[in-house]
Amino acid sequence: MSIIHSIGKNLTANTLTTLFTVPTRNLAKCVNILVSNHSTSAKHITVYWYDASANVSIEILYQYNLTSKNFLILDSGFYFMMDEGDELRALSETGSTATIIASFEIEQRSTVQQFN
């Protein structure tokens, strides 16, 4: 059985922010991500999936430019699976005022599993 979980954060400009960490013995399906630029000018944002088992950050968006007062939604069948300890992280441009929201389907598992 899975549960639905959403989390949102107001980002601190030019600071790598961890939005979500998959709890131990859980698997998370990231089903959508919304990024919003509240700044008065265009700013870019980078969103990462940190794969803890491989100790690597994978760029989902790299310096994606958002015009002032605009947003981007990643969905429409786009998703990726995150294992326990994996993280969703974001970094917004210096001088930006940005928000990120993500939704997950989380499934608890009875044992620790790592897929490499």
Side-chain angles (χ1 to χ4, degrees):
M1 180 176 150
S2 63
I3 60 169
I4 306 298
H5 178 69
S6 294
I7 190 160
K9 288 198 178 179
N10 294 318
L11 299 176
T12 301
N14 199 33
T15 302
L16 184 62
T17 302
T18 299
L19 183 70
F20 177 71
T21 303
V22 180
T24 302
R25 292 193 177 95
N26 284 268
L27 181 68
K29 178 180 181 181
C30 184
V31 294
N32 61 47
I33 300 171
L34 177 137
V35 180
S36 180
N37 176 15
H38 305 281
S39 306
T40 56
S41 61
K43 297 293 181 182
H44 65 257
I45 188 164
T46 302
V47 179
Y48 303 94
W49 161 29
Y50 172 70
D51 182 347
S53 65
N55 192 27
V56 65
S57 290
I58 298 152
E59 294 160 344
I60 299 166
L61 290 174
Y62 178 72
Q63 293 186 354
Y64 187 86
N65 197 46
L66 281 172
T67 57
S68 174
K69 312 294 187 233
N70 206 347
F71 64 92
L72 169 71
I73 299 174
L74 294 174
D75 65 357
S76 300
F78 166 79
Y79 69 87
F80 58 97
M81 304 303 295
M82 299 172 65
D83 206 356
E84 61 183 53
D86 289 2
E87 298 176 349
L88 187 64
R89 299 173 175 174
L91 177 64
S92 61
E93 183 178 2
T94 299
S96 67
T97 305
T99 299
I100 184 168
I101 301 169
S103 294
F104 304 88
E105 292 178 18
I106 302 171
E107 184 174 326
Q108 190 172 29
R109 298 180 297 187
S110 59
T111 59
V112 175
Q113 298 174 3
Q114 291 290 332
F115 300 98
N116 294 328

